[in-house]
Amino acid sequence: MWVILLIPACAAAVFSCLRLVRVAATADSLSAIGPARPEEAVGVGLFETAYLAGGPTRVVDLALVRMAGRGRLHLAHTGWTTVVDPQGRSRLERALIGEIGPDGQCRTAALRAALAAHPTVRDIGERLTMAGLATPTTVRESALLAIRQVRYALLLATGLLVAALVLAAPGSGQAGATVAWFALPLVLTGGTLLMARVDVHAYTAWAAPAGQEVLRAARIPRQYGPADDAERELLTAVAMVGPDAVPDARLRAALRG
């Protein structure tokens, strides 16, 4: 009986681990190419930093905080966003106001989801990807899926081992052999996950290895003018950390929907 349970455990372990190794090889080949353009040529600003740190949703959060701080939007902790000034100062602001709609008010959660998929936000990611600073979407999604499948294979092998031990006839002496054979998929999947922490984990982030250098530089405090020092410091913190960096509890609640 335990042999029948061992077959799917080994099959799931082998196929999932091979897929993860293939994803790691693809990611390593892309990182070996290096940035296509230097950071200065890309024009990495606050919104680009936000994308590298947290993806499209972080870009949306930064836009909402900046517009709310400048009095162009009202973000209610009840989950509604209201337009105060309909004149967008940038392409992203105009896209945000357009997503709110002609009524000038919409649910914040729906706005965040719609704007995160807007071409204006996607263009930021594509530009950073072309520059070698952001992880390609296909590589990131493939890495996340491959790691998830290996974890599922590990859980499957563990569950089937428990089932095999339960079904083993008492006193038959099969428990030792069952554990020994099931150690193969368990060691394979566990070792592959440890390998992924070193070789693949970096490609599950929005920022590529070159983009991580940009984020490390963004964490260094900089001196700004007295007029925009507080705002710039807050926006940089939001770009790096997200809504948790907002000191206003009501605004944090509004961003979290």
Side-chain angles (χ1 to χ4, degrees):
M1 179 63 69
W2 65 268
V3 176
I4 298 176
L5 298 177
L6 177 64
I7 293 175
C10 290
V14 170
F15 285 121
S16 62
C17 292
L18 285 177
R19 176 169 185 171
L20 184 56
V21 170
R22 186 165 59 248
V23 169
T26 302
D28 289 340
S29 64
L30 290 176
S31 64
I33 299 176
R37 290 179 290 170
E39 173 190 345
E40 294 77 8
V42 181
V44 178
L46 279 175
F47 288 113
E48 288 76 17
T49 302
Y51 186 95
L52 294 174
T57 304
R58 185 69 56 80
V59 175
V60 177
D61 289 337
L62 178 61
L64 290 173
V65 170
R66 188 171 76 164
M67 293 185 69
R70 295 179 178 179
R72 299 173 191 168
L73 290 178
H74 174 66
L75 299 176
H77 69 282
T78 54
W80 287 89
T81 296
T82 304
V83 177
V84 178
D85 182 358
Q87 300 299 321
R89 271 64 171 182
S90 65
R91 182 186 174 195
L92 181 58
E93 289 188 2
R94 290 190 291 270
L96 190 152
I97 295 172
E99 289 295 335
I100 293 176
D103 294 336
Q105 189 178 59
C106 71
R107 299 291 298 181
T108 304
L111 173 62
R112 293 174 74 241
L115 189 60
H118 195 276
T120 302
V121 178
R122 288 204 307 267
D123 287 346
I124 297 176
E126 292 173 358
R127 182 158 49 86
L128 292 171
T129 300
M130 291 295 295
L133 298 177
T135 304
T137 302
T138 54
V139 172
R140 181 176 177 275
E141 292 177 351
S142 297
L144 289 171
L145 179 60
I147 292 174
R148 192 178 304 121
Q149 289 178 339
V150 176
R151 287 174 178 166
Y152 290 157
L154 176 59
L155 293 176
L156 176 64
T158 303
L160 292 177
L161 171 59
V162 173
L165 292 176
V166 171
L167 296 176
S172 61
Q174 295 181 352
T178 301
V179 173
W181 280 101
F182 269 92
L184 297 176
L186 291 174
V187 171
L188 178 60
T189 51
T192 303
L193 286 175
L194 290 177
M195 179 272 294
R197 293 292 300 176
V198 178
D199 294 335
V200 185
H201 182 70
Y203 302 104
T204 62
W206 291 101
Q212 295 290 341
E213 296 292 334
V214 176
L215 293 179
R216 279 190 282 270
R219 293 187 177 95
I220 301 176
R222 301 179 183 179
Q223 297 296 325
Y224 305 105
D228 62 350
D229 181 72
E231 182 192 47
R232 184 79 180 190
E233 183 179 354
L234 172 61
L235 295 179
T236 301
V238 172
M240 297 295 296
V241 181
D244 289 339
V246 177
D248 188 344
R250 293 173 68 89
L251 182 55
R252 285 200 309 271
L255 291 171
R256 292 169 177 167

